């Protein structure tokens, strides 16, 4: 089994390198993992003894910064933790089309999937009110999960921070960076049609994540074009 002290030391080393090389800020630390963030870019990183997860909210550069951070983190994980193997890699995305109301969002998806819902409506003698399109696709070592569904953002909490009077320059800089995350959020969004894609590769070859991400982007753009009618 892994030595707890050695494991904690590895996470400490990982955090120091991530802060120095990738400008990440440590947000939470646990005995077997940590959570870090690049708030001005909407990036959140969690790493533990089992997996590395990187998310970014609302990227505007086609994912260039995101994949660069992923590559840097994969390199750090490989150097610090020396994993024996990688069981799977996954990239996921969420795309939304703003809608004026919840009813409009539900109607938009019913229009797209009217074939199946229309047949079922005739069978049960009741009109369809809402539909979720959920599909799985597989080819070779890849598995793709696609979902299209209405969503209502019932509450959006935006945190803003004010430094205390005697805050150090380091503390003020940290809070300023955290406030930049709040400025990226669109608080006017209430209803939308959400498209979710999750592309997973099992037993992936080494050093291939940029190709994997490019494949997700290709599928994402193809589907966005199909649903532009929304």
């Amino acid at each position: 089994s892994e030595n707890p002290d050695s494991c904690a030391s590895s996470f400490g080393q990982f955090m120091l390198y991530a802060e120095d090389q990738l400008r990440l800020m440590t947000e939470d630390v646990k005995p077997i993992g940590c959570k870090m963030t690049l708030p001005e870019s909407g990036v959140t990183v969690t790493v533990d003894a089992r997996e590395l997860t990187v998310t970014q909210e609302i990227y505007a550069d086609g994912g260039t910064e995101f994949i660069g951070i992923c590559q840097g983190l994969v390199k750090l994980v490989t150097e610090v933790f020396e994993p024996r193997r990688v069981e799977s890699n996954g990239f996921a995305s969420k795309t939304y089309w703003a809608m004026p109301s919840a009813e409009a969002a539900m109607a938009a998806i019913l229009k797209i999937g009217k074939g199946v819902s229309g047949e079922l409506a005739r069978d049960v003698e009741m009109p369809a009110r809402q539909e979720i399109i959920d599909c799985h696709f597989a080819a070779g070592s890849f598995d793709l999960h696609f979902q299209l569904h209405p969503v209502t953002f019932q509450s959006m909490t935006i945190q803003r921070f004010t430094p205390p009077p005697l805050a150090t320059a380091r503390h003020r800089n940290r809070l300023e960076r955290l406030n930049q995350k709040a400025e990226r959020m669109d608080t006017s969004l209430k209803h939308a049609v959400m498209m979710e894609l999750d592309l997973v590769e099992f037993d992936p070859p080494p050093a291939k994540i940029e190709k994997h991400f490019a494949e997700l982007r290709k599928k994402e753009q193809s589907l966005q074009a199909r649903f532009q009618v929304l």
Side-chain angles (χ1 to χ4, degrees):
S1 61
E2 194 75 39
N3 184 323
D5 293 334
S6 175
C7 189
S9 176
S10 295
F11 281 113
Q13 186 180 3
F14 173 85
M15 287 186 291
L16 288 174
Y17 286 173
E19 289 179 357
D20 181 54
Q21 299 177 22
L22 300 172
R23 298 182 56 250
L24 292 174
M25 291 170 36
T26 300
E27 189 171 297
D28 188 27
V29 181
K30 297 180 180 179
I32 57 168
C34 64
K35 180 179 180 181
M36 308 186 76
T37 181
L38 189 65
E40 56 268 45
S41 296
V43 173
T44 301
V45 177
T46 56
V47 60
D48 57 30
R50 292 181 58 85
E51 65 181 6
L52 166 69
T53 304
V54 187
T55 61
Q56 183 178 28
E57 299 172 348
I58 315 175
Y59 60 69
D61 61 355
T64 301
E65 180 184 36
F66 173 74
I67 192 62
I69 292 172
C70 288
Q71 289 172 322
L73 288 168
V74 167
K75 181 180 178 183
L76 277 182
V77 166
T78 302
E79 292 175 353
V80 174
F81 298 104
E82 299 180 348
R84 294 179 181 177
R85 62 189 293 264
V86 177
E87 292 186 356
S88 65
N89 283 332
F91 283 101
S93 71
K94 293 183 179 181
T95 303
Y96 70 85
W97 290 267
M99 291 287 158
S101 65
E103 291 75 18
M106 292 188 289
I109 298 180
L110 281 172
K111 182 179 179 181
I112 293 171
K114 60 184 177 182
V116 174
S117 60
E119 292 178 7
L120 293 177
R122 287 191 294 272
D123 290 341
V124 300
E125 299 180 336
M126 297 175 68
R129 183 181 182 186
Q130 180 177 335
E131 183 173 359
I132 295 174
I133 302 175
D134 193 314
C135 304
H136 281 269
F137 306 90
S141 60
F142 283 96
D143 181 272
L144 175 66
H145 181 206
F146 164 85
Q147 190 176 84
L148 193 71
H149 60 94
V151 61
T152 294
F153 301 94
Q154 297 184 18
S155 64
M156 296 183 69
T157 302
I158 304 297
Q159 286 187 311
R160 296 184 183 276
F161 303 88
T162 302
L166 301 180
T168 64
R170 180 181 176 87
H171 189 191
R172 288 178 181 275
N173 177 259
R174 177 183 178 86
L175 296 184
E176 182 180 335
R177 291 180 67 188
L178 288 171
N179 284 335
Q180 289 181 44
K181 180 179 181 179
E183 294 167 2
R184 303 178 79 254
M185 303 303 295
D186 180 7
T187 57
S188 66
L189 185 64
K190 295 181 179 180
H191 309 283
V193 170
M194 184 77 75
M195 179 180 75
E196 299 188 34
L197 290 177
D198 189 358
L199 183 64
V200 177
E201 183 177 22
F202 298 97
D203 296 317
K208 195 186 173 185
I209 63 169
E210 66 280 0
K211 294 181 180 179
H212 186 161
F213 182 67
E215 188 63 27
L216 174 76
R217 291 282 293 143
K218 177 182 177 182
K219 298 181 188 312
E220 179 186 49
Q221 291 166 1
S222 176
L223 290 167
Q224 284 175 349
R226 169 176 288 274
F227 298 127
Q228 279 303 323
V229 292
L230 295 173

